[in-house]
Amino acid sequence: MPRLNKMRTALPRGSGGNTAPASLSRLRTALTVFFALDGFLFAGWVVRIPAVKQQTGATASTLGLALLGVSAGAVITMMLTGALCRRHGSHAVTVVCGVLLSLSIALPAQTGSVTALGLVLLLFGAAYGGMNVAMNSAAVDLVTAMRRPVMPSFHAAFSFGGMTGAGLGGLVAGRLSPATHLLALTGVGLLVTAVTGPALLGGRAAAALPTEERRTDDSREQPRRMSAHTRRVVVLFGVIALCTAYGEGALAEWGALHLSQDLRATPGLAAAGYSLFALMMGIGRLTGTTLLERFGQTRTLVAGGMTAGVGMLFGSLAPAVWLTLLGFAVAGLGLANIFPVAVGRAGALAGPSGVAAASTLGYGGMLLGPPVIGFLADWFSLPSALTTVTLLAAVAAALGHTARHATNA
């Protein structure tokens, strides 16, 4: 709690908010590139899900179980990644996971059965989850050093990377096979990691802190036991992240299928659904720092959850493609800042362990999402199944309101 209060007094409208040294600026740029790469690669896989579904002969429910591999692999590695970040540093772990993610993205298109697809997605999810914990841990340290709530800007890069990946995926969906497309993404990922990795490995946010704060920051590198109160608050933020990650996963993994299967959209237009969703998330996150400084974290969380819930009702149940796309856009705007705020506050309270714990719970949303939506789609319909996103967005808004008592934010 003292660490969070210390950060909060330093963050808004401070005279030092725009005085970050050049080393922090370079570090911020490198970290932003990795966030963008993460979103770009993930979206490249997402837009090929319909083609891989057809390739493997999966039904909605069996595809949901296979997609469970992404989230299961992520959750399994997340707590381990927190320990690795404490031992080797979050920057080094980010670079290694960038390499692994780039290599593993080519594997799903090489499968011919649902079982094989699930197994390779387990590997893909492990690299994806590890990279997310490491990046967010590095971002929490950088936010502390810069004394501004810039966490949403990193997640904006993820969203814009996702928008670009989905947009390019939609353009090549009718021309390239999934195998060719995903193999090309492997090359792009390895190239970007090779170019940007050295800048990330050579920088450390704590080096720019005053001596007293640097000692506090360095103490986060050592394993420490969270108090019962801190653990409860971290879990609260983790559940908020879970509710919103469920929505992000639903749009990512089922949005294109909903547009193509239920509304008969073309492959390119179906891919545009996630691209538009990611665009609006990116725009929302670019304004996140201003929103947090002006309205505070609680109002931002509550308003975001309510907006996402309304948008997803349209996205799920609208009878026309353009209305569905509008709903996806509104949902993206609402979800934009909830996950980064929740993970950032958990990290401010408990360091890499807090980031890992909140992220693990958050990706539990993606763990539950694919099979739940898949089974509900078989029992009822995919549009009905997608309305569960609205329900969980409302839960996130309610918990965000409750969180004001936990941290006085």
Side-chain angles (χ1 to χ4, degrees):
M1 186 68 66
R3 178 175 177 81
L4 180 62
N5 291 336
K6 187 176 185 179
M7 286 180 63
R8 289 173 58 210
T9 57
L11 290 177
R13 303 184 183 91
S15 60
N18 295 318
T19 59
S23 60
L24 287 185
S25 297
R26 287 193 298 270
L27 184 55
R28 183 181 182 183
T29 299
L31 194 55
T32 299
V33 170
F34 272 95
F35 269 88
L37 176 65
D38 191 44
F40 179 80
L41 294 178
F42 185 73
W45 146 245
V46 161
V47 299
R48 302 318 299 250
I49 287 176
V52 173
K53 176 180 182 290
Q54 183 178 15
Q55 173 182 308
T56 58
T59 65
S61 57
T62 57
L63 177 63
L65 288 174
L67 292 175
L68 179 64
V70 177
S71 300
V75 169
I76 289 170
T77 59
M78 277 180 168
M79 295 308 294
L80 174 63
T81 305
L84 289 174
C85 287
R86 289 192 298 267
R87 176 183 284 266
H88 302 290
S90 55
H91 296 175
V93 177
T94 297
V95 173
V96 170
C97 288
V99 173
L100 296 177
L101 184 67
S102 301
L103 292 173
S104 62
I105 197 173
L107 300 178
Q110 308 300 321
T111 60
S113 69
V114 177
T115 301
L117 178 62
L119 291 174
V120 300
L121 288 180
L122 191 68
L123 298 175
F124 176 72
Y128 180 70
M131 188 168 178
N132 274 269
V133 169
M135 289 190 310
N136 278 289
S137 295
V140 167
D141 289 339
L142 191 55
V143 167
T144 304
M146 296 185 71
R147 298 181 175 83
R148 292 195 66 213
V150 297
M151 180 68 103
S153 69
F154 295 115
H155 289 260
F158 174 88
S159 296
F160 283 120
M163 180 195 71
T164 304
L168 290 177
L171 290 176
V172 304
R175 299 178 178 86
L176 297 179
S177 68
T180 302
H181 178 201
L182 297 184
L183 188 61
L185 293 184
T186 292
V188 171
L190 292 175
L191 178 61
V192 171
T193 301
V195 171
T196 313
L200 194 60
L201 292 173
R204 187 167 183 267
L209 292 170
T211 303
E212 180 183 351
E213 293 186 38
R214 192 183 311 156
R215 284 197 297 266
T216 303
D217 183 84
D218 287 342
S219 68
R220 296 176 62 222
E221 299 298 323
Q222 303 299 322
R224 69 186 186 191
R225 187 179 184 84
M226 284 187 279
S227 68
H229 173 75
T230 299
R231 189 178 299 109
R232 286 194 297 270
V233 177
V234 167
V235 168
L236 175 63
F237 288 129
V239 173
I240 293 173
L242 180 153
C243 292
T244 58
Y246 181 98
E248 290 189 52
L251 268 294
E253 297 181 339
W254 293 100
L257 195 61
H258 171 52
L259 287 165
S260 61
Q261 171 183 290
D262 300 315
L263 299 175
R264 300 294 186 267
T266 64
L269 193 56
Y274 180 72
S275 184
L276 180 61
F277 171 75
L279 170 63
M280 296 309 295
M281 286 197 77
I283 291 174
R285 286 168 171 174
L286 283 179
T287 63
T289 298
T290 300
L291 290 174
L292 290 170
E293 290 178 334
R294 181 169 297 180
F295 301 110
Q297 296 171 333
T298 298
R299 290 180 181 177
T300 301
L301 288 176
V302 173
M306 294 174 62
T307 301
V310 172
M312 202 54 207
L313 271 182
F314 277 93
S316 303
L317 304 177
V321 171
W322 72 271
L323 282 174
T324 298
L325 292 175
L326 177 62
F328 285 2
V330 173
L333 195 62
L335 291 175
N337 293 304
I338 302 178
F339 191 95
V341 169
V343 172
R345 288 174 75 176
L349 283 168
S353 295
V355 173
S359 297
T360 300
L361 282 170
Y363 281 94
M366 291 189 177
L367 179 70
L368 294 172
V372 167
I373 290 179
F375 284 123
L376 289 176
D378 273 352
W379 293 337
F380 302 101
S381 68
L382 182 54
S384 297
L386 288 173
T387 61
T388 56
V389 175
T390 294
L391 175 62
L392 290 186
V395 172
L399 293 178
H401 183 68
T402 302
R404 78 191 192 283
H405 298 302
T407 59
N408 297 319

